[in-house]
Amino acid sequence: MNDKYVFGIDFGTESARAVLVHVQSGKLITAAVGCYPHGIITEKLPGSEQELERNWVLQHPEDYLYALKDTVKRCLEHSRIDVKNIIGIGIDFTASTILPIKKNGLPLCLDPKYKENPHSWVKLWKHHAAHKEAALINQISHQRQEYFLRRYGGEISEEWMLPKILQILHESPEVYEAADKFIEAGDWIVMQLVGSERRSSCMAGYKGMWSKQIGFPSEEYFQAIHPRFKHFTKEKLNERIYPVGSRAGFLTKGMADKLGLTESVAVSVSMIDAHAAVLGAGVTQPGKMVLAMGTSICHMCIDHREIFVSGISGVVEDGILPGYFGYEAGQSAGGDSLLWFIKNGVPSHLMDEAVRSGDSIYQILEDKASRLQPGEHGLIALDWWNGNRSILKDANLSGLIIGLTLQTKPEHLYRALMESLAFGTKKILNAFYENGIKINEIYACGGLAEKNKLLMQLFADITGKKIYVVTLPYASAMGAAVLAATAAGKENGGWDTIEEAMYRMIHYEPIVYQPNEQSKAIYHQLFTWYEFLYDYFGKESMLMKEILAIKKQKGSGEK
């Protein structure tokens, strides 16, 4: 059998990563990373002086196509592989990242008539300006006792598709009416590649309130949300949903020419990036949780049973692996919170030290923080710098650090922030455990896990679990490559099932972090106080929300 190859393309928050992988062995041939030219849009629309309001987070759809072409072409140039032997492309994407489009797939923001309207642009997953719409949706859903809420931990998030679209209808009905469809960005990329809509069960299940057994909620439910929504799924979505691992189609001639590939390249149905990381980590059994650690942290696991866990992001049948119920929870800030501190809290003398030593400021802070004993800095932090996704599901909560004194140093703060991420994960693990889902092992992947040894040791000490760091580069992209090989099928040189593709293609030796028993005991004490702060500020006190309200009134909100 001739050697065959596939592309896995992982569309993240700020860039896209492409991997070119040997189908038979899983060997990574080459990889490329392409940043989005317009980045994350939070201040002004491209080419416009119009300022965006607080909590708006947009992107430019052409950036995705630019990064796709750029990374694929660089991989081809570096590998010099005969393109006739490339048989598939798999796509994963951050979600819920949505955009309004015309029937032909043209994003509405590229129409001169609507380009000055921010609602015509891509709303990134962490666009949090639809929190009022999310509250309304949840209120009506509870009043109607909608059964589907149980699958999503009892609440719909403002990060999901429906609140973002309802915000468009409320604030810009002309954009709502002009849009022939609203689509997840991952499904839109697939549409560009194959020339037709092939919406993913993963995207629809976790972010669109769809289920394999029932489909979307009823027309009566959508009408209760808004009279214009009665035929919402038929008019503005697409009720035909395709399972993870299936073939969306083959490259159109136009796209094949642009990418330098052939029309015989199969394209997989898209998948959410964190969920693809489960495939890239090689996890095929219950009792194992995968942490996809990047700007945020997603917590993924599978089980044979459908159990409704309060406060999690969702449970979807076949959402990750066929034959299993896939579970998702998460923390809205991960690496984001550490980056915030680097940008805003590090004094110049540490920056100078980094320059003199040739190390990064991350390395300097990690080294200093690793010399501290558990509890030595006297701080406890809450990990809500971008709100709380699980278990409280409240984007209007904010970060907190308690215990500051005149003796507090930057490395104390840095370590406290890292500890807060581990405490937040422990809180999520406890929620699963209390509902009958026991996690025995944790697999961590992504840049945050690969680069920060102290962080991984803290996760082991605080959760009390072994942490297996996935050493296979680009775990989500490798998961997308698995989907590509499955979409191609064995008849074309690929594999017939996701499990078979994972068995053949995913190979690595993890780095293992063992809990330190002495540290574990101290962190058990500190976690008690973390939970106290968690419950007080998250459930009892309105302080954080009152401060936010004053901030909005004074117009001092961040753009």
Side-chain angles (χ1 to χ4, degrees), residues 76-150:
L76 292 176
E77 291 171 2
H78 186 266
S79 67
R80 298 186 179 180
I81 286 173
D82 187 343
V83 295
K84 294 179 181 177
N85 291 323
I86 297 174
I87 60 172
I89 292 180
I91 299 295
D92 74 69
F93 214 105
T94 59
S96 180
T97 296
I98 65 129
L99 63 156
I101 60 171
K102 304 302 287 184
K103 288 180 182 178
N104 63 0
L106 177 73
L108 217 57
C109 64
L110 301 184
D111 184 332
K113 186 177 179 180
Y114 300 102
K115 69 177 183 178
E116 293 291 327
N117 189 321
H119 282 293
S120 71
W121 292 76
V122 176
K123 287 183 169 67
L124 187 60
W125 66 267
K126 59 180 179 178
H127 174 88
H128 285 169
H131 56 89
K132 292 180 181 178
E133 284 72 18
L136 175 63
I137 291 168
N138 284 318
Q139 178 186 352
I140 293 173
S141 300
H142 282 290
Q143 288 173 351
R144 291 175 53 87
Q145 298 182 325
E146 291 287 343
Y147 183 81
F148 70 81
L149 274 182
R150 301 179 69 190

Side-chain angles (χ1 to χ4, degrees), residues 216-486:
F216 290 104
S218 67
E219 288 189 342
E220 291 73 22
Y221 166 74
F222 283 113
Q223 186 175 26
I225 299 295
H226 194 287
R228 186 65 185 84
F229 266 2
K230 181 176 182 180
H231 303 297
F232 170 66
T233 58
K234 291 179 181 177
E235 290 181 348
K236 300 295 186 177
L237 301 182
N238 190 324
E239 294 186 323
R240 185 169 184 185
I241 305 296
Y242 293 79
V244 168
S246 62
R247 180 189 298 162
F250 293 89
L251 287 180
T252 64
K253 184 179 187 308
M255 189 57 72
D257 290 344
K258 289 178 182 178
L259 297 178
L261 299 172
T262 71
E263 293 175 71
S264 61
V265 173
V267 179
S268 74
V269 168
S270 68
M271 193 175 194
I272 300 173
D273 55 345
H275 304 58
V278 178
L279 310 186
V283 170
T284 59
Q285 297 175 350
K288 301 179 178 182
M289 177 172 279
V290 175
L291 306 185
M293 305 183 71
T295 54
S296 64
I297 302 177
C298 290
H299 306 65
M300 318 296 307
C301 64
I302 58 174
D303 201 276
H304 293 291
R305 304 160 295 166
E306 182 180 39
I307 298 174
F308 302 119
V309 181
S310 179
I312 67 166
S313 299
V315 52
V316 175
E317 185 176 1
D318 300 338
I320 298 174
L321 274 177
Y324 291 93
F325 290 91
Y327 293 79
E328 175 192 355
Q331 291 164 270
S332 293
D336 261 1
S337 60
L338 302 182
L339 178 61
W340 163 82
F341 179 71
I342 294 292
K343 287 183 174 180
N344 298 284
V346 178
S348 59
H349 72 85
L350 285 183
M351 291 294 189
D352 293 341
E353 183 178 339
V355 172
R356 290 195 304 270
S357 67
D359 294 329
S360 72
I361 188 61
Y362 287 98
Q363 291 171 307
I364 295 293
L365 282 170
E366 181 182 354
D367 178 63
K368 291 181 182 296
S370 65
R371 300 174 195 172
L372 301 170
Q373 296 301 311
E376 181 182 346
H377 53 52
L379 306 174
I380 296 180
L382 290 176
D383 51 309
W384 302 342
W385 305 90
N386 197 25
N388 178 286
R389 184 183 298 164
S390 304
I391 300 296
L392 299 171
K393 306 187 90 166
D394 191 340
N396 289 313
L397 295 173
S398 52
L400 178 144
I401 301 176
I402 193 167
L404 295 165
T405 72
L406 293 176
Q407 285 72 48
T408 300
K409 297 180 179 180
E411 57 265 32
H412 297 164
L413 292 164
Y414 193 65
R415 181 169 177 130
L417 290 173
M418 289 193 285
E419 289 169 346
S420 76
L421 297 178
F423 284 139
T425 288
K426 182 176 176 64
K427 189 71 176 174
I428 290 169
L429 286 169
N430 287 351
F432 277 100
Y433 181 80
E434 290 162 4
N435 286 274
I437 298 178
K438 186 177 181 181
I439 303 300
N440 301 311
E441 299 175 350
I442 297 177
Y443 288 74
C445 58
L448 203 57
E450 296 166 11
K451 298 174 183 177
N452 200 316
K453 296 178 181 179
L454 174 59
L455 182 65
M456 292 299 92
Q457 187 60 54
L458 291 173
F459 266 72
D461 293 342
I462 290 172
T463 64
K465 309 286 184 185
K466 287 183 180 179
I467 307 294
Y468 297 82
V469 174
V470 177
T471 54
L472 190 65
Y474 310 109
S476 292
M478 288 297 295
V482 165
L483 296 175
T486 308

Side-chain angles (χ1 to χ4, degrees), residues 475-533:
S476 292
M478 288 297 295
V482 165
L483 296 175
T486 308
K490 190 168 286 185
E491 74 275 12
N492 295 314
W495 306 110
D496 282 338
T497 67
I498 292 177
E499 291 86 349
E500 185 179 15
M502 290 172 68
Y503 176 76
R504 301 285 186 175
M505 297 173 66
I506 304 300
H507 312 288
Y508 65 91
E509 288 293 330
I511 298 171
V512 183
Y513 291 83
Q514 297 271 8
N516 178 291
E517 290 303 318
Q518 185 176 358
S519 298
K520 179 180 170 182
I522 297 172
Y523 281 124
H524 180 74
Q525 291 179 277
L526 292 171
F527 182 70
T528 300
W529 291 109
Y530 172 87
E531 283 198 299
F532 173 81
L533 295 171

